[in-house]
Every structure is written in structure tokens, then in C-alpha cells.
Amino acid sequence: MSKMMPQYPANNGLVWRELEEYTVDFVCQGKELYIVAGGEGKDKAIADGQVTVPKYTWKVILVLDNGNVENTIAVRIPNSQEVARTDWKDYIVSVDEIEKKTGLDFFAAVSKSIQNKIESIAYK
């Protein structure tokens, strides 16, 4: 259950799933992926207040090809039914935006110059 978070069906079964399928294509091409995902904010609580349903779901994906940074993808998706007829690409943001919203610092274990390179590469 460590990788579970409550998601509305339109998010989990459509937009989020399509992004996950897209990342599988990289793996099938022999690329190496580092993925961090989570929730942000509070939409509501369920299970007698024991579980928080996040207002947004986010994911940061670092794609390496033979050890070289090829791509960085960051998305921040509203966790709602309203995303049903949208594409995950509609929610592309910068890594910096997710860091700002969550208070996390991705890629902090690498040198600042490499971190800046990783975070400056926009999805292509």
C-alpha cells in the first residue's frame, strides 16, 4: 500500500493511466526511469478522517538513455472527475512548480549544476 493514494476514477483510470502507459514505452526502448509521485493538498477526508484525498496528483519522471539525461516530465493533475476528457499533456508543469507547491526538493542528491540541467529540460 506504500504507493497508493486515493484518486478519482477519471484521474486514475484515464489521465494518470495514460501517463503511466506512456512511461512504459520508454522502458520498452531500454531507457532508465526514475519516478516520484504523490498527492498535494486536501480535497476531502475518507475512512472516518483517516485518509486524505489529495486535491492534486503529481508525478516527476526523469528519463535516462545510457546514463545521460534525455527527458524530464513533470505533471500536476487536478484529482477530480473534471479531468475525464483531457490529456495528461495538458498538465505538464516545471519540476520547480511541483517543488514550490509541495516543499520537496527533487534531485537534491546530485550536484547543483546537474540538478539545474535535469530540472530545466522540458518534456519533448
Side-chain angles (χ1 to χ4, degrees), residues 22-113:
Y22 181 77
T23 60
V24 168
D25 291 342
F26 286 118
V27 174
C28 291
Q29 296 168 22
K31 314 280 175 153
E32 185 176 354
L33 274 63
Y34 291 87
I35 302 171
V36 182
E40 172 207 328
K42 180 179 178 180
D43 180 56
K44 64 181 178 179
I46 57 175
D48 295 324
Q50 299 297 308
V51 177
T52 298
V53 178
K55 189 171 183 82
Y56 293 90
T57 57
W58 54 264
K59 189 175 279 198
V60 175
I61 304 163
L62 175 63
V63 182
L64 300 177
D65 187 15
N66 293 316
N68 297 310
V69 176
E70 178 179 288
N71 206 341
T72 305
I73 303 168
V75 296
R76 183 174 178 259
I77 304 169
N79 189 23
S80 71
Q81 286 298 105
E82 283 71 45
V83 300
R85 290 173 197 75
T86 63
D87 187 287
W88 66 266
K89 294 174 189 164
D90 297 335
Y91 303 102
I92 293 172
V93 296
S94 68
V95 172
D96 288 334
E97 182 173 340
I98 294 176
E99 288 178 330
K100 181 179 174 186
K101 299 285 186 182
T102 64
L104 300 171
D105 184 12
F106 301 103
F107 315 114
V110 299
S111 72
K112 197 65 171 168
S113 63

